[in-house]
Amino acid sequence: MAGEFGTASLAAGLVTATLAALLWLRAGLSGGPVRVARAATVASLLAAVLGSAVLEYALLRHDFSVRFVAENGGRDVPVYYTVTSLWSALDGSLLLWLVIHCAIAALLATRASRYPARLHAYAMLVVSAVGMFFFALTYFAANPFREVRPVPLDGPGPNPLLQQHPAMGVHPPLLYLGYIGLVVPFAFALAGLLAGRDGHHWLRAARPWALLAWSALTAGIGLGAWWSYAVLGWGGYWAWDPVENASLLPWLTATALLHTALGGTRARAGWNVVLACASFLLVLLGTFLTRSGAVASVHAFTESPLGPMLLGFVVLAVAVSTVLVGWQGPGAVPRSRTPVLSRGAAVLVNGVLLLTIAAMVLVGTIFPLLSESFGGIRTAVGPRYYQRTAVPLAVVVLLVMGVVPAVVSARRAGALRRLGVPFGVALAVVAVLGWAGRPGAPALAAFGAAAFVLSGLVGQAARAARIGAAAPRLSAARLGGVLAHAGIALVAAGVAGSSAYGSSIERDIRVGEALRVGGVQVRLLEVRRTGDADRMAVTARLEHDGGTLAPALRYFPAHDTAVTVPQIRTGVVRDVYVTLIAAGADGGSATVRLAVNPLVALLWVGGGLTAAGGLLAVPAAVRRHPAPGAAVPTAAAVERTEVRV
């Protein structure tokens, strides 16, 4: 019954999303009323919510006649992880994707009065077409409601790795919100090309949505790094994994978009269109990589029939975007001269650098596919490739980012004076750290760039305090930018510190013996085995600094999977990270890895500040959106006129 009801909701969503796309197309072409189109958009949201609710109900009731529940549910799974198992596997995750996409579409549909009529209608057409595709993808290729016969008595539960940390309930939804939110800037960019004079202000309409999506994506990436650090047991937070890269790619282009969208938008109109399109196209590419089984990753889903449909949609989206940009774009890009030492020049340089980093990361991510296609052998690139290509450019991005506060509203001589103090602070930091610890050139460069940015932001804050807020309505946006830049600088310092000063040791020790590294010591007290037929665990109790740490190995027979559960003692300056690698059969010995990771806390603080800065700037971006002029009627005005006629 649940399976039939859920399948019917997907069919209803496909029908209503298709109807919405056709009605929004009609509104864009003829300027007709949008009430029915808006109703169809809301109806598709209701269908997506209903489908998700049905699957959650089946999971909570352990209805193993539903295929998704039989493959991912379990009677012994805690309620929290039963709920989150909706997005723990491929088919259910597409339902969450649909709910978020349809919610964004419905919200945008109800805000028609804020935008010129044709711009809004064409943007809704693009958003609805994307929703229609994902409904079709779920219904035809990834329907989670197919029935199972005979009905099993129990299921294996979700992947054990997804039951080890509460971030599972927040990390994927945030990532999806960031991914799917980028469809709105993409839609407005294409709509701006289609709407003629109604599309001149598409970027102002798209900016708040881009900020919101970027903030959610930033928070999702940060939570993912934390989850990797706290759950996987390898001691790190970023491995340049293909699926990690798939989240980084649209973040880089969206960051470039947010910067090029600040002021002088007409002078960089072509840049903005390309970046808005590239951001969502990279989301679609990442979706293909994640859900087709094309790349090997601990984060990726298994092979599925979605690959050809997703790849076809990526190719279609790229073709449509390229044709529209080539058709309308060049004429909309006026030429302008930008002074070398100016905010516009710094923004342009940063945009080029971010795009270059994205290109390098993209090449490294898809290189295994390319090598297999042309050479017959799948060859992956390792972290050293990214460390030698992307990381140095990221340091340059930091340096350019630190230049911006000095060159805003300043003449060349004043800008050079303002850069003097941050430059001196950066040199002092590099000199002191190089003399004290010799952390290596990459780490020194990152520390110096972070000091350059942070000292420049402090100077900017001091000048603002002396002068006073000249534009109170923009103060939140300015503060948001300061927080975001400070957060990125802290993340850079955290990455440099943990990479350059971290130390670890791995060794077999017996009960009573100690392990020491980096001034930290742990002593093995006991090795304990527990468990039953469904779950077995080996736990090592170690004494550390007057307390105990208990890393464990958990084995799940139903999945034939062993999960390493590290123990982390977090401090302001350093983390003590202990992992149990193996345990002796006699229970008197264990293989333990002890790591000391300095400055990791800066990653979590910096990531939080960056996301908070983006969110803080959203209201100001909304307020800055101008009311459409009298010559450019809004969708609501057109609808009222049509009703009177």
Side-chain angles (χ1 to χ4, degrees):
M1 185 66 178
E4 295 175 357
F5 204 63
T7 299
S9 68
L10 290 178
L14 177 57
V15 170
T16 53
T18 305
L19 178 62
L22 294 174
L23 291 171
W24 287 116
L25 174 61
R26 174 174 174 264
L29 292 173
S30 63
V34 299
R35 286 182 302 172
V36 180
R38 188 186 303 128
T41 303
V42 174
S44 66
L45 170 61
L46 295 177
V49 170
L50 182 60
S52 298
V54 169
L55 190 55
E56 283 286 16
Y57 181 72
L59 285 165
L60 291 169
R61 287 201 62 205
H62 307 302
D63 184 356
F64 297 110
S65 67
V66 177
R67 180 180 60 84
F68 186 85
V69 180
E71 294 175 353
N72 302 281
R75 298 186 185 277
D76 295 329
V77 178
V79 173
Y80 178 79
Y81 292 110
T82 296
V83 173
T84 62
S85 63
L86 175 72
W87 49 85
S88 68
L90 174 63
D91 301 352
S93 70
L94 285 176
L95 277 181
L96 176 64
W97 183 288
L98 280 172
V99 169
I100 296 175
H101 179 93
C102 293
I104 290 173
L107 181 61
L108 182 60
T110 59
R111 298 172 69 84
S113 60
R114 298 187 60 88
Y115 311 110
R118 296 187 69 210
L119 176 67
H120 179 262
Y122 281 127
M124 285 303 308
L125 166 63
V126 175
V127 173
S128 300
V130 173
M132 179 180 65
F133 167 75
F134 277 98
F135 267 115
L137 185 71
T138 307
Y139 182 81
F140 291 109
N143 187 345
F145 297 105
R146 293 191 178 97
E147 295 186 350
V148 175
R149 291 290 184 270
V151 178
L153 298 176
D154 200 355
N159 187 321
L161 283 172
L162 307 180
Q163 301 181 52
Q164 306 300 317
H165 201 285
M168 181 59 191
V170 184
H171 164 55
L174 273 177
L175 271 183
Y176 285 11
L177 179 59
Y179 287 151
I180 303 164
L182 290 174
V183 73
V184 180
F186 171 70
F188 272 121
L190 296 186
L193 298 175
L194 292 170
R197 64 189 182 91
D198 285 18
H200 291 166
H201 298 296
W202 74 265
L203 185 60
R204 293 182 181 177
R207 187 184 291 122
W209 299 90
L211 271 170
L212 182 62
W214 180 86
S215 301
L217 188 55
T218 301
I221 292 173
L223 275 174
W226 180 41
W227 181 85
S228 179
Y229 183 69
V231 171
L232 296 184
W234 62 291
Y237 42 80
W238 191 267
W240 296 104
D241 178 277
V243 179
E244 292 174 345
N245 295 348
S247 66
L248 179 63
L249 286 168
W251 186 88
L252 289 169
T253 53
T255 303
L257 172 64
L258 291 177
H259 284 81
T260 59
L262 296 174
T265 56
R266 291 288 296 165
R268 293 188 289 271
W271 269 97
N272 296 324
V273 171
V274 170
L275 290 172
C277 292
S279 297
F280 188 66
L281 293 176
L282 287 171
V283 167
L284 294 178
L285 177 62
T287 304
F288 164 72
L289 293 174
T290 306
R291 287 168 168 77
S292 65
V295 296
S297 166
V298 69
H299 306 88
F301 296 101
T302 56
E303 292 188 14
S304 73
L306 273 65
M309 291 183 68
L310 279 168
L311 183 59
F313 188 67
V314 171
V315 172
L316 176 63
V318 171
V320 170
S321 303
T322 303
V323 168
L324 285 177
V325 172
W327 173 42
Q328 295 280 17
V333 185
R335 300 183 179 273
S336 63
R337 299 181 61 184
T338 303
V340 175
L341 194 59
S342 66
R343 183 185 190 185
V347 165
L348 184 61
V349 170
N350 246 3
V352 172
L353 289 171
L354 288 168
L355 278 180
T356 306
I357 295 172
M360 291 179 173
V361 174
L362 178 61
V363 169
T365 303
I366 65 174
F367 186 79
L369 301 179
L370 297 177
S371 64
E372 186 177 27
S373 299
F374 294 104
I377 300 175
R378 177 169 292 208
T379 305
V381 299
R384 289 175 63 86
Y385 163 80
Y386 301 102
Q387 292 164 2
R388 292 180 176 180
T389 56
V391 171
L393 287 177
V395 173
V396 179
V397 168
L398 269 178
L399 291 172
V400 177
M401 190 172 70
V403 171
V404 174
V407 299
V408 173
S409 301
R411 295 182 178 178
R412 182 174 301 179
L416 291 174
R417 284 197 303 271
R418 290 181 178 183
L419 288 173
V421 172
F423 185 71
V425 171
L427 282 181
V429 168
V430 170
V432 170
L433 292 179
W435 174 79
R438 300 182 182 275
L444 280 178
F447 278 125
F452 182 73
V453 172
L454 291 171
S455 56
L457 293 174
V458 169
Q460 181 186 15
R463 289 191 297 272
R466 289 196 305 268
I467 298 172
R473 293 182 65 183
L474 300 182
S475 60
R478 188 180 298 115
L479 178 58
V482 169
L483 288 178
H485 286 182
I488 291 174
L490 290 176
V491 169
V495 171
S498 59
S499 302
Y501 297 112
S503 55
S504 64
I505 186 173
E506 181 180 322
R507 203 175 71 196
D508 295 335
I509 55 176
R510 298 196 63 82
V511 172
E513 293 181 347
L515 199 60
R516 175 188 293 271
V517 69
V520 174
Q521 175 179 293
V522 296
R523 186 180 303 277
L524 182 61
L525 300 177
E526 67 170 333
V527 179
R528 181 184 304 167
R529 297 176 183 272
T530 58
D532 51 32
D534 297 322
R535 179 182 304 183
M536 294 176 282
V538 181
T539 304
R541 290 185 62 249
L542 299 112
E543 180 186 23
H544 166 65
D545 199 18
T548 58
L549 296 171
L553 277 171
R554 295 175 183 168
Y555 181 68
F556 297 82
H559 292 270
D560 193 21
T561 299
V563 176
T564 302
V565 183
Q567 284 284 286
I568 307 169
R569 182 158 293 178
T570 301
V572 176
V573 178
R574 67 184 184 185
D575 285 5
V576 176
Y577 194 105
V578 185
T579 310
L580 176 63
I581 306 299
D586 60 356
S589 64
T591 304
V592 177
R593 181 180 183 274
L594 171 64
V596 178
N597 301 328
L599 303 182
V600 174
L602 292 181
L603 292 168
W604 322 134
V605 174
L609 281 177
T610 305
L615 286 176
L616 190 61
V618 171
V622 172
R623 288 194 298 266
R624 288 176 65 183
H625 188 277
V632 184
T634 67
V638 170
E639 183 174 348
R640 286 193 296 269
T641 303
E642 292 287 334
V643 170
R644 284 197 299 269
V645 172

